[in-house]
Amino acid sequence: MARKFRHIIGVIIVGLFIIWQYRSSIGSHEYSVSTSVKINDELFRNFTFMTFEHASKLQNCFGGQITIEYLDGSDEGGDKNSSIALNIVKPLFPKKIEFATSNRSISMASQKTAGYVRVWRYWEQMTMSTRALISLAGQAKLGNRKVQAPRVNNSLFGANDGYSLGTYFNLTHFNQVLIFGDYATLVGEKDYEAECSLADAGHVAIYFLYEGNEGKTKQMLQLNEKQYHDINKKAGKVGWTECPILGNYTKENSKTNFFCVNVSKFTEWDKLENKVIKGAKCLTLSNWRGIGSSFRTHFSSKHLKFHERDLHFALKPSEAILKEANMFRRVLRGPYIAVHVRGEKVFSAHNFFRLQSCLRVLHELVKVLKALSGITQVLIASDMSRFGSGAWGSLLNKPKEHQTLRELHSFLITSTGGIEYTPTADDVDRGVVALVEMTLLARATHLITVGKGSFQELIVAKFLEIHREDNQPQWSLITMCSD
């Protein structure tokens, strides 16, 4: 595999005639840019994918977004002759969330609290868990409940252990965003415990019986086949059933009322409050996956003026994360091209051949973009580094596959001439690293994304927000290999 990569990287003679002035707002520096660039055909001599016509279209999309797609499926097997198409699309800027002090926001913040809700375990990694947290706040508002801010640990959320949510996000601003959206606000762990001591009898704990989750439910609740069948059958009749065995999973007291709830029977949170919770002050959800189809709850969001995704895009990282990003920003003097690779999504949808091909396209694309923009610095962030996605562990089974992944990561860095953000400490939380990278990626002049996913959506939203008001836009957003 390594030999396949080496033949790609040859000496490419580039002739450039550039009339150039810079303009780009990065941090506290101002760079002005207006270009008239003539690229010599020699640049494309050793290319497989990118052509002069592609480069022209790429330059024409400055100030906008372009997608790169394969024209056929031949590359699934590693065919080197696959061709690509570049399509200019309209960028989807995130909704503007503008704050203003008003009587409405003050009254919303001071509404009387009837109860509290916490989640023992969120199901996914940081981005989707954050959205699940926000979606819970949207429902909790209907019951006049506040939501306990979860603890975080390497992108996972829960009530049991880890660091404060403030490690990831500016919590003051987080609550301002929730208030603006008319969602319930977050409270700290101490506030929750002060109001919901385990000695308090007003406790309810709920386990949601998600569709297609039989194996996980048996494992988490330590159920045999008959026990699971009985619980599922009873909950299927009216929507819920008493479920004392849930006490094996969550930390509650003997006075807590435990219930297992069939998610298909509840589309309104008010019904859950009235039929199951019945005025209990303190509510624990043992496993919360958010709202949606399939393996999520089906609560209605019609009462919400803002989608959870919009509020998520408006959140700010913690001051510590911004400080760390600013420190590394000094290494990147002047404008830079940023690349984010979600290789796990490409691999799981296709195979290693397609991921390798995507990185070969990226290699050529970065060379062209450097020539067009005059920007030579490249920042790389990927899920293939040691701080990347934990999902690779479940996808790769053989030592050879792990070696291939390491070779692909090495090729990504050497072929683009890029640098990666590297924390100074070895034991840095993976979620912290991801948010520092997100902050740096969003500040780039040009952003290239490979793959897809919710975290990549967040990066793109932050990037577009920064460039929304550019008067003479010289930025570009390029997405590729997202099928």
Side-chain angles (χ1 to χ4, degrees), residues 314-345:
L315 299 181
K316 291 180 179 180
S318 67
E319 289 298 323
I321 286 173
L322 293 177
K323 182 179 179 181
E324 179 71 8
N326 290 336
M327 288 178 63
F328 190 81
R329 179 65 182 87
R330 298 184 190 124
V331 177
L332 299 164
R333 297 181 179 178
Y336 57 94
I337 298 166
V339 177
H340 184 263
V341 178
R342 191 74 163 96
E344 172 246 318
K345 293 293 186 181

Side-chain angles (χ1 to χ4, degrees), residues 126 153-155 168 321 387 428-436:
M126 179 174 59
N153 186 9
N154 283 320
S155 294
Y168 289 175
I321 286 173
F387 293 103
V428 176
D429 183 275
R430 193 163 63 223
V432 169
V433 174
L435 289 170
V436 172

Side-chain angles (χ1 to χ4, degrees), residues 147-167:
V147 181
Q148 179 185 312
R151 300 187 73 79
V152 297
N153 186 9
N154 283 320
S155 294
L156 300 178
F157 287 26
N160 203 13
D161 55 19
Y163 308 100
S164 162
L165 183 64
T167 307

Side-chain angles (χ1 to χ4, degrees), residues 205-458:
I206 290 176
Y207 182 92
F208 287 113
L209 296 167
Y210 293 106
E211 297 161 9
N213 197 48
E214 178 178 342
K216 285 288 185 183
T217 297
K218 290 178 181 177
Q219 178 186 355
M220 293 169 66
L221 301 188
Q222 302 173 32
L223 301 174
N224 59 37
E225 184 68 33
K226 183 180 184 305
Q227 288 172 318
Y228 174 80
H229 177 77
D230 290 345
I231 289 173
N232 202 44
K233 184 178 179 179
K234 291 177 182 177
K237 289 182 178 179
V238 294
W240 72 95
T241 183
E242 292 186 359
C243 206
I245 201 167
L246 179 55
N248 295 335
Y249 181 67
T250 62
K251 183 182 178 183
E252 300 287 336
N253 68 1
S254 58
K255 296 180 180 179
T256 299
N257 294 314
F258 297 96
F259 297 96
C260 286
V261 172
N262 184 317
V263 296
S264 66
K265 301 291 185 178
F266 288 87
T267 58
E268 300 295 334
W269 183 270
D270 286 340
K271 180 181 176 182
L272 187 71
E273 290 277 359
N274 296 331
K275 299 292 185 179
V276 182
I277 304 171
K278 294 183 177 179
K281 182 179 181 181
C282 305
L283 171 64
T284 297
L285 304 181
S286 61
N287 56 335
W288 176 250
R289 294 182 173 186
I291 299 170
S293 57
S294 183
F295 58 89
R296 306 187 191 279
T297 63
H298 307 320
F299 294 112
S300 172
S301 299
K302 293 180 180 179
H303 63 286
L304 299 172
K305 297 179 180 179
F306 291 91
H307 192 276
E308 65 198 49
R309 183 185 292 107
D310 299 324
L311 299 188
H312 180 215
F313 290 163
L315 299 181
K316 291 180 179 180
S318 67
E319 289 298 323
I321 286 173
L322 293 177
K323 182 179 179 181
E324 179 71 8
N326 290 336
M327 288 178 63
F328 190 81
R329 179 65 182 87
R330 298 184 190 124
V331 177
L332 299 164
R333 297 181 179 178
Y336 57 94
I337 298 166
V339 177
H340 184 263
V341 178
R342 191 74 163 96
E344 172 246 318
K345 293 293 186 181
V346 179
F347 172 78
S348 59
H350 300 278
N351 50 40
F352 267 135
F353 287 120
R354 172 54 67 90
L355 179 54
Q356 177 190 349
S357 178
C358 289
L359 297 185
R360 290 171 58 237
V361 175
L362 176 67
H363 158 68
E364 296 180 12
L365 172 63
V366 169
K367 283 188 173 294
V368 171
L369 195 54
K370 284 180 178 179
L372 290 174
S373 66
I375 298 172
T376 59
Q377 295 185 106
V378 180
L379 173 68
I380 301 290
S382 80
D383 63 354
M384 297 184 286
S385 73
R386 66 189 182 97
F387 293 103
S389 171
W392 280 110
S394 61
L395 291 173
L396 306 181
N397 300 315
K398 301 176 182 178
K400 186 177 180 181
E401 292 178 328
H402 288 276
Q403 177 61 27
T404 299
L405 183 64
R406 287 191 291 270
E407 290 173 353
L408 285 169
H409 178 243
S410 177
F411 174 73
L412 168 64
I413 302 302
T414 56
S415 65
T416 59
I419 63 171
E420 294 177 301
Y421 161 69
T422 304
T424 54
D426 292 332
D427 59 347
V428 176
D429 183 275
R430 193 163 63 223
V432 169
V433 174
L435 289 170
V436 172
E437 288 179 335
M438 178 205 73
T439 304
L440 292 166
L441 292 166
R443 295 176 181 178
T445 303
H446 300 275
L447 174 62
I448 304 169
T449 65
V450 180
K452 62 182 179 180
S454 56
F455 184 61
Q456 211 162 71
E457 289 178 359
L458 177 62

Side-chain angles (χ1 to χ4, degrees), residues 1-9 356 407 411:
M1 181 68 74
R3 187 176 300 164
K4 291 181 182 178
F5 298 149
R6 293 191 189 104
H7 82 276
I8 301 170
I9 309 173
Q356 177 190 349
E407 290 173 353
F411 174 73

